[in-house]
Amino acid sequence: MAELEAFDVLDTGPEEGFEDVVQIARQICDAPVALVSLVASDRQWFKARAGFPDCQTDLTRSVCVYALSEPDLLIIPDLSADPRTRGNPLVTDEPHIRFYAGAPLRTDSGRTIGSLCVIDHKPRPAGLDEGQADALRRLARQVMLLLRERGQLAKMQASDLLAAAAASRRAALLELGDHLRDASTVADMTARAAEIVGRVLNGSRAGYGELDQTGEFLTIAEEWVTAGTSRLAGNHRLADYGTIVPVIQSGETLVVRAASEDDRTAGHSAAFAKLDVSAMLNVPVRERGRTVGLLYVHTPEARAWAPEEIGFARNVADRVQVAIGRLRAEEQQSILNHELSHRMKNVLAMVQAIAAQTIRNASDLDAAGDALSARLVAMGKAHDILLGGEHATASLDAVIRGALSIHDDAQVGRLKLDGPLVPVGSKAALSLALMIHELATNAGKYGALSTPDGHVTVKWEVTSDQDRLVRICWIEKDGPLVAPPSRRGFGTRLIERGLAGLIGGEVQLTYPPEGVICELTAPLTEFQANT
């Protein structure tokens, strides 16, 4: 049976070579009927026939089945007298056959798959003469040659088809590469990829959908479809189509030959039938280890996807994944460049203002240079912290520690910081660093840090009320007795107005005898803003 199936000849149409064989056999053997009979597991089927109406019969009416075990010709002079065939319906009823002579159709391995036979409606006690028998054997060998040549031709044609399909896939990948290089949007990229994969794989529908953060819902914008095929644009819950979520989230390609038969989808075959889907390929597109999209192709009929087809779909998905990553990287770079330009303008404006005020209020140039240098170092520390953060933010703790790190006393435990984790945006970080630097500078010159026993505590909190305010408190202790300054220098004005004016907060400086206290209150949203 396996060797017969390998010839792939059952139920094929008439072919001239086989038709010639039966006509020659009938003439040589002077018989009204000649057949090329192939015996399958449940029937005998005639590749060629002359003088016989049916193209096949079941095995209960087969005489050729007895030829399978014969080493040479099977000749039955009178079918009505032979115990094997006298009850055969073809003998007892129409067409009342009486004589049979069959030459086995034997493969190279020696197995018999059928016979070339001649049949008469009257008995032939003498059977065939020597010449007729020899001709029947030779014609049977010709039938096997025709079957082998037919198989070779089919293989060559299949090979040509495979080569053509491979060339088509290569050309499609080149076409896709050219488009992905020039495309400027993700939608444009995925639309062309869907069109190419659907066309090359002879699908009825192909498209690209984006998964939400949970990986359970797929959003489809546009897709490629053949005429008469419905579109699936919209949101889809993947669980409505079977147990396919784990496969997709793992990054594996979901290959389904028939949705009604696959264990993962059979329980939801009605949903697939409504969409006119039987076979499908779902290829995940991933970013940073997570499935973010799905390239798919559907057909309305069952289909055994070839490894080359699966590989092609994966190749397309991989190229789309790389192209999307490139495009998003370019978009991110553009955003970063814009943000850097904006921030540099703000920094330069702040530096210009600080420099002008420092020089204007300094008693001599050396003092002005030292003050300006220290303030610029404080700003630089804040910048370093921002650049090391995520999305141009830093923690409040890090900004304060950075501003204090240029003061030697920060290394000997005289400064205590206490507060929760609070992100600080670039808008507030630089001014906060300058403010803390000025407070520490004044404390080192005149306040708690100017004596060995003095210390400073910086505390902050975020209120839980609807307004959500940040409160920062600078408290000096155990320093020299404090008196309010007789004049307000640039440092004091920078503390009082710099940060508060920038983010809409309030700053209060008080001078109790035991130490300076500075309190800042500002909206949390403004504190965390980046622009």
Side-chain angles (χ1 to χ4, degrees), residues 428-441:
L430 296 180
S431 290
L432 176 62
L434 284 172
M435 172 181 167
I436 296 297
H437 165 71
E438 292 298 328
L439 287 169
T441 298

Side-chain angles (χ1 to χ4, degrees), residues 495-518:
I495 293 169
E496 290 178 335
R497 295 202 300 254
L499 181 63
L502 187 65
I503 63 174
E506 294 181 0
V507 174
Q508 285 189 332
L509 270 172
T510 56
Y511 302 91
E514 59 271 20
V516 173
I517 296 176
C518 179

Side-chain angles (χ1 to χ4, degrees), residues 265-493:
T265 56
H268 296 73
S269 56
F272 286 102
K274 185 177 179 180
L275 302 176
D276 200 20
V277 176
S278 181
M280 61 181 177
L281 279 179
N282 289 346
V283 187
V285 172
R286 295 171 67 79
E287 286 183 8
R288 299 179 182 177
R290 186 178 72 87
T291 301
V292 297
L294 202 63
L295 181 70
Y296 60 87
V297 57
H298 297 161
T299 65
E301 63 282 333
R303 173 172 173 177
W305 299 97
E308 297 82 5
E309 295 174 326
I310 298 171
F312 171 73
R314 286 174 175 164
N315 205 332
V316 171
D318 288 344
R319 294 180 182 225
V320 169
Q321 178 178 331
V322 171
I324 290 176
R326 172 186 58 78
L327 186 61
R328 288 180 174 164
E330 291 173 354
E331 292 173 350
Q332 183 65 22
Q333 186 62 49
S334 176
I335 293 172
L336 290 175
N337 289 341
H338 177 75
E339 181 180 337
L340 180 60
S341 174
H342 179 74
R343 187 182 296 180
M344 287 301 298
K345 289 177 181 178
N346 289 342
V347 170
L348 291 174
M350 185 177 291
V351 169
Q352 183 181 26
I354 291 172
Q357 289 292 334
T358 300
I359 294 172
R360 184 180 303 147
N361 289 274
S363 57
D364 61 76
L365 290 179
D366 289 340
D370 292 342
L372 179 59
S373 176
R375 286 164 180 164
L376 293 181
V377 169
M379 289 180 62
K381 291 285 185 180
H383 252 297
D384 290 342
I385 294 169
L386 283 172
L387 292 175
E390 183 178 0
H391 303 305
T393 62
S395 70
L396 181 59
D397 180 273
V399 172
I400 294 175
R401 288 186 186 277
L404 293 175
S405 65
I406 61 175
H407 298 273
D408 294 338
D409 291 312
Q411 310 300 324
V412 295
R414 300 178 65 192
L415 293 151
K416 180 181 179 182
L417 276 60
D418 181 24
L421 178 65
V422 179
V424 181
S426 60
K427 183 177 181 181
L430 296 180
S431 290
L432 176 62
L434 284 172
M435 172 181 167
I436 296 297
H437 165 71
E438 292 298 328
L439 287 169
T441 298
N442 289 340
K445 287 181 178 180
Y446 318 110
L449 298 182
S450 66
T451 61
D453 298 326
H455 61 274
V456 174
T457 299
V458 184
K459 301 190 298 184
W460 63 89
E461 64 176 354
V462 179
T463 64
S464 58
D465 55 19
Q466 186 175 0
D467 293 335
R468 299 282 285 168
L469 301 174
V470 177
R471 288 180 179 152
I472 303 173
C473 190
W474 170 284
I475 304 171
E476 299 183 21
K477 292 284 187 180
D478 299 329
L481 291 177
V482 173
S486 58
R487 56 183 292 273
R488 294 167 62 251
F490 172 62
T492 302
R493 295 198 302 275

Side-chain angles (χ1 to χ4, degrees), residues 24-351:
I24 293 171
R26 187 167 67 163
Q27 292 173 14
I28 290 175
C29 297
D30 192 22
V33 177
L35 303 168
V36 173
S37 176
L38 301 173
V39 180
S41 59
D42 58 350
R43 58 179 174 147
Q44 64 175 4
W45 177 79
F46 308 131
K47 174 58 181 171
R49 66 187 192 276
F52 197 83
D54 299 326
C55 63
Q56 66 181 16
T57 70
D58 57 64
L59 293 184
T60 60
R61 298 193 294 165
S62 173
V63 179
C64 292
V65 71
Y66 299 111
L68 299 182
S69 57
E70 291 292 323
D72 193 14
L73 298 181
L74 171 64
I75 298 177
I76 303 177
D78 188 352
L79 294 169
S80 64
D82 191 291
R84 294 172 295 182
T85 59
R86 61 190 177 195
N88 190 307
L90 297 178
V91 176
T92 60
D93 299 321
E94 291 290 340
H96 298 288
I97 61 176
R98 289 293 181 269
F99 171 75
Y100 176 91
L105 300 176
R106 193 167 284 121
T107 67
D108 291 338
S109 65
R111 295 183 177 88
T112 305
I113 59 174
S115 70
L116 170 64
C117 65
V118 291
I119 296 172
D120 205 339
H121 299 293
K122 57 187 178 182
R124 288 192 185 185
L128 298 178
D129 61 33
E130 186 176 339
Q132 291 172 327
D134 183 63
L136 199 61
R137 293 188 190 95
R138 292 177 182 275
L139 286 172
R141 290 197 293 269
Q142 290 301 310
V143 170
M144 292 308 300
L145 285 174
L146 288 171
L147 285 174
R148 294 187 192 98
E149 290 175 357
R150 186 181 183 281
Q152 289 297 325
L153 180 60
K155 288 180 180 178
M156 291 174 61
Q157 291 173 338
S159 178
D160 289 343
L161 288 175
L162 289 175
S168 175
R169 290 192 293 269
R170 287 194 298 270
L173 289 175
L174 290 174
E175 177 188 352
L176 178 63
D178 291 340
H179 182 77
L180 293 180
R181 184 185 62 244
D182 300 330
S184 58
T185 66
V186 172
D188 191 19
M189 290 177 176
T190 55
R192 179 55 66 89
E195 184 269 330
I196 288 175
V197 77
R199 170 169 47 85
V200 172
L201 296 184
N202 295 316
S204 59
R205 178 191 295 112
Y208 177 83
E210 292 189 345
L211 288 165
D212 69 344
Q213 289 292 326
T214 68
E216 297 180 355
F217 291 87
L218 185 72
T219 300
I220 299 171
E222 294 290 337
E223 57 188 351
W224 174 89
V225 296
T226 56
T229 301
S230 61
R231 296 183 180 274
L232 305 183
N235 296 322
H236 299 268
R237 181 173 175 263
L238 294 181
D240 293 338
Y241 301 94
T243 55
I244 62 177
V245 171
V247 179
I248 293 171
Q249 289 185 342
S250 70
E252 298 178 24
T253 299
L254 179 67
V255 183
V256 176
R257 191 193 74 86
S260 60
E261 300 173 4
D262 194 290
D263 291 341
R264 299 164 295 187
T265 56
H268 296 73
S269 56
F272 286 102
K274 185 177 179 180
L275 302 176
D276 200 20
V277 176
S278 181
M280 61 181 177
L281 279 179
N282 289 346
V283 187
V285 172
R286 295 171 67 79
E287 286 183 8
R288 299 179 182 177
R290 186 178 72 87
T291 301
V292 297
L294 202 63
L295 181 70
Y296 60 87
V297 57
H298 297 161
T299 65
E301 63 282 333
R303 173 172 173 177
W305 299 97
E308 297 82 5
E309 295 174 326
I310 298 171
F312 171 73
R314 286 174 175 164
N315 205 332
V316 171
D318 288 344
R319 294 180 182 225
V320 169
Q321 178 178 331
V322 171
I324 290 176
R326 172 186 58 78
L327 186 61
R328 288 180 174 164
E330 291 173 354
E331 292 173 350
Q332 183 65 22
Q333 186 62 49
S334 176
I335 293 172
L336 290 175
N337 289 341
H338 177 75
E339 181 180 337
L340 180 60
S341 174
H342 179 74
R343 187 182 296 180
M344 287 301 298
K345 289 177 181 178
N346 289 342
V347 170
L348 291 174
M350 185 177 291
V351 169

